């Protein structure tokens, strides 16, 4: 496949987070599409191009596993974009509104696979959890 571009490399942890529970649901796909719409990384893409990137990431994660796929993504990304990829992946894991032990484990794994400092990763997770507050918070 050759080296990953930034769009594909950032997508891999998102897809790994999405596939962590063993399935892909419509809310998760909507979450990825929403991220693609507002992220400058994907801003110039057509919906079809985003779909190609999502499918490429799914294939890679399924073919070599989430750890190897994320490590490949880490090699292709700057430290700043590793954090971007992580926070997007955390949004994916949180997208169903439920964060159990399994999800916490996935987030911990993603931080390690992307080579993030544990304290920094915790801070990023806290920021995403704040974004998840309901109107009744």
């Amino acid at each position: 496949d050759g080296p990953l571009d930034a769009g594909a490399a950032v997508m891999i942890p998102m897809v790994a987070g999405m596939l962590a529970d063993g399935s892909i649901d419509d809310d998760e796909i909507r979450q990825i599409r929403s991220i693609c719409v507002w992220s400058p990384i994907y801003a110039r893409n057509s919906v079809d191009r985003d779909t190609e990137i999502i499918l490429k990431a799914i294939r890679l994660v399924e073919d070599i596993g989430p750890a190897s796929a994320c490590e490949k993504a880490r090699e292709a990304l700057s430290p700043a974009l590793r954090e971007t990829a992580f926070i997007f992946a955390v949004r994916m894991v949180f997208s169903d509104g439920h964060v159990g032990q399994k999800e916490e484990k996935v987030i911990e794994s993603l931080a390690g696979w992307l080579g993030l400092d544990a304290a920094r990763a915790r801070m990023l997770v806290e920021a995403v959890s704040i974004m998840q507050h309901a109107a009744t918070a």
Side-chain angles (χ1 to χ4, degrees), residues 70-104:
C70 287
E71 285 160 9
K72 192 172 165 98
R74 180 183 71 216
E75 292 166 13
L77 295 171
S78 67
L81 285 179
R82 287 181 206 147
E83 289 185 346
T84 300
F86 177 72
I87 212 161
F88 287 171
V90 172
R91 285 194 61 196
M92 288 307 306
V93 174
F94 281 22
S95 69
D96 66 1
H98 172 73
V99 183
Q101 279 187 315
K102 188 175 177 185
E103 286 86 354
E104 287 177 22

Side-chain angles (χ1 to χ4, degrees), residues 2-3 8 35 39 55 90 98 109 114 126 128 133:
I35 288 168
S39 170
L55 292 174
V90 172
H98 172 73
S109 296
L114 291 170
E126 285 174 29
V128 175
H133 287 165

